[in-house]
Amino acid sequence: MNLALWIAAGLLAAVALTGGVTKTFVPREKLAAVHGGGWTGDVGPVFVKTLGVLETLAAAGLVLTAALGIAPVLVPVTAVCWILLMIGAMITHGRRGESALVVLNLAYLALAVFVAWGRFGPESFTG
């Protein structure tokens, strides 16, 4: 179970880091031109950059806090925040008719639910 939770958190961290770095450093106009990035054309550049920074921090919160033994309770807390982010992403992509991305976000949400449940419950770092 512990290994499965580490793998799930690692996968989510990779997704968060990739999305975060992209949103932080790629110009919004370029993001808006790629598949799945059209929503960035509907919001301000500060929102996109802020979301990118938050996603990058989520990557650290999902893995580094536990790996370094610094406030490992942040792993399930970050997973819950990721769940909320994925709900927002699903709503955004759903409104845009991007059903494949809704399904992808649902998969990320399911991984985050697993991590939150596992780390708050049976495989807590504090127990």
Side-chain angles (χ1 to χ4, degrees), residues 4-104:
L5 288 164
W6 273 106
I7 291 169
L11 288 171
L12 285 177
V15 168
L17 185 61
T18 301
V21 168
T22 302
K23 288 177 188 81
T24 302
F25 296 109
V26 174
R28 185 175 61 115
E29 296 74 26
K30 283 190 177 185
L31 290 174
V34 299
H35 174 67
W39 65 270
T40 60
D42 300 336
V43 298
V46 173
F47 179 80
V48 176
K49 300 283 185 212
T50 302
L51 189 58
V53 169
L54 291 174
E55 287 183 14
T56 303
L57 290 172
L62 285 164
V63 175
L64 286 182
T65 58
L68 299 175
I70 302 169
V73 72
L74 289 178
V75 173
V77 170
T78 303
V80 169
C81 292
W82 190 260
I83 291 166
L84 297 174
L85 180 68
M86 289 302 100
I87 290 170
M90 289 167 59
I91 291 168
T92 299
H93 290 299
R95 286 181 178 166
R96 297 180 59 83
E98 300 166 336
S99 56
L101 294 173
V102 171
V103 172
L104 181 62

